[in-house]
Amino acid sequence: MKGCLAVTKNNSKLYISMYHYTRDLMHSRYPQIKGLDVKLFRKQIEFFKENFNVVRMEQVIEEVKGGDPLPEKALLLTFDDGYADNFTFAFPVLEEYDLQGSFFIPGKTFSTHQLLDVNKIHYILASADIQHLLKDVLERLDYYRGKEFNYLPNHILFDKYARANRMDCKEVVFIKRILQTILPEELRRRISSELFAKYVCVSEEQLSYELYLSLDQIRMLKRHGMYIGIHGYDHYWLGNLSKREMQEDIVKALESMDEFIDCEQWVMNYPYGNFNQDVLEFIKQKGACIGLTTETRVADLRFDQPLQLPRLDCNDFPPKSINYQKLM
Ligand SMILES: [Zn+2]
């Protein structure tokens, strides 16, 4: 019995690597977009193949349900947001090395071909000078304040939300937060679309068709053994919605992804890593068995709640860095 426990104890760590855009950055139209270059992606996969045991999502589900423990140095590959570049550049490498990736796809991306706010903002940031963009955003906030919408003065908003994080400077964080969740939704949409039209030289609709996985591509990923999971429908900050709006978004996500998931045991990946107790209770009731957050550290299945597993960014592993060694 003691021996049994010791095995579980040794194998309880799970490294989860998180990817967003994976592409040939140098030859892409937006080389400034924050993604992992395909050459580095290949190097990273080679590193994982030599130094870790890359596991399948089904093995993680099995372990959290009390079944077989994971091997030592278990590592899971997760791809957020349903980008077609993951299909073009990452999927062939995964196939070559016989590894599984888990893809988390917002239902709206392939069903309506509308650009998510998160992507409008990424492309605006990849196309504009940050100081110039900040000035533009602040002027637009002044313009709309008191007309149909009310919100705090610029200096208070800036003090509150302009906080640099591991990935972004404070100006970028400010613009992201304001346009992702802080302003009223209608105004966020309006300002994002105005900025997109001004700075990005392509229509939102065209970009949505080239940016997101198509239904046929998702089906092919699934046929080739990749795991498909839930990432909301509209990619909202779920913890900031009313309970009714949050539940509606999750129900729509489950409906649009119905053919890809097992409704009795599916995996949730919270957009922006954002959730609250209501979200946890609702997804559990709806059949979620694992939840992926953006808290940055190695997961420990002995202590971490299955619905709140932390992850590491792909930039935390070689060839980008060796942060993974410190983020226990
Ligand atoms: Zn996302």
Side-chain angles (χ1 to χ4, degrees), residues 8-206:
T8 311
K9 196 175 169 185
N10 286 339
N11 298 349
S12 62
K13 291 258 191 292
L14 174 63
Y15 296 76
I16 309 179
S17 184
M18 168 174 70
Y19 299 88
H20 287 91
Y21 305 105
T22 52
R23 51 178 72 177
D24 183 355
L25 282 171
M26 212 168 56
H27 299 107
S28 83
R29 287 200 286 162
Y30 301 92
Q32 301 304 320
I33 207 111
K34 288 204 168 169
L36 185 63
D37 189 80
V38 63
K39 287 198 184 76
L40 301 182
F41 178 75
R42 176 179 284 279
K43 284 206 171 107
Q44 185 158 89
I45 292 299
E46 285 164 0
F47 170 79
F48 289 155
K49 195 81 186 175
E50 277 176 24
N51 296 280
F52 286 87
N53 285 305
V54 178
V55 294
R56 300 173 62 83
M57 184 64 88
E58 291 83 353
Q59 290 174 266
V60 182
I61 294 174
E62 170 82 11
E63 150 101 47
V64 302
K65 292 197 150 187
D68 288 343
L70 294 174
E72 276 187 52
K73 297 206 86 174
L75 184 139
L76 186 72
L77 304 165
T78 63
F79 297 81
D80 290 17
D81 297 344
Y83 299 132
D85 63 11
N86 297 154
F87 183 89
T88 311
F89 296 106
F91 173 49
V93 179
L94 296 176
E95 280 259 299
E96 186 183 328
Y97 287 90
D98 196 21
L99 299 175
Q100 186 195 53
S102 295
F103 296 78
F104 296 91
I105 303 164
K108 191 178 180 182
T109 56
F110 64 92
S111 48
T112 73
H113 300 288
Q114 284 173 289
L115 205 55
L116 299 176
D117 291 347
V118 64
N119 300 122
K120 275 187 224 176
I121 300 164
H122 288 162
Y123 277 76
I124 293 164
L125 288 164
S127 306
D129 167 71
I130 184 63
Q131 291 306 331
H132 188 86
L133 181 62
L134 178 63
K135 186 165 169 278
D136 201 340
V137 169
L138 293 171
E139 282 170 8
R140 281 169 211 267
L141 291 175
D142 282 338
Y143 175 81
Y144 285 112
R145 185 179 291 104
K147 284 205 167 73
E148 299 153 63
F149 308 98
N150 267 314
Y151 41 90
L152 296 167
N154 286 353
H155 70 277
I156 295 180
L157 287 174
F158 196 79
D159 281 352
K160 197 164 173 192
Y161 298 113
R163 301 276 162 85
N165 62 26
R166 292 201 322 140
M167 302 296 170
D168 293 318
C169 67
K170 65 178 182 184
E171 290 83 1
V172 168
V173 172
F174 174 74
I175 291 169
K176 282 185 172 176
R177 293 296 304 281
I178 288 290
L179 296 179
Q180 283 168 356
T181 190
I182 304 302
L183 294 180
E185 182 171 1
E186 198 195 324
L187 181 59
R188 289 198 319 257
R189 289 257 149 94
R190 199 184 295 180
I191 293 183
S192 301
S193 287
E194 287 172 3
L195 295 169
F196 188 91
K198 180 173 170 183
Y199 293 104
V200 188
C201 304
V202 59
S203 77
E204 289 186 23
E205 193 188 18
Q206 280 173 320

